[in-house]
Amino acid sequence: MQQPGEQELIGRAVRGDREAFETLYHRHHGQVQSIVRRRVRDGDDARDLVQTVFVRAFRNMPGFRED
């Protein structure tokens, strides 16, 4: 079975599909964590910031515009 593409997952997440957002989270968590860890030395602070990034992304999905 083929994995859904990024655009499909984003579209589904915008429409409230939590599983689609969870898939996006798993796909991008490592990259976001890597970026944050380069800027923030403290591990606890970095984890908190990564969590904040994804919570804000989830809360703002309904207003996401692809343009």
Side-chain angles (χ1 to χ4, degrees), residues 9 12-13 16-26 58:
L9 288 170
R12 288 173 35 198
D17 184 333
R18 287 178 182 239
E19 287 182 29
F21 186 84
E22 185 176 333
T23 300
L24 289 166
Y25 167 83
H26 288 291
F58 180 76

Side-chain angles (χ1 to χ4, degrees), residues 39-59:
R39 305 260 189 235
V40 179
R41 301 261 186 230
D42 184 86
D44 290 336
D45 287 346
R47 280 187 291 280
D48 288 346
L49 285 170
V50 170
Q51 181 177 3
T52 298
V53 165
F54 283 101
V55 167
R56 287 183 180 180
F58 180 76
R59 287 182 179 160

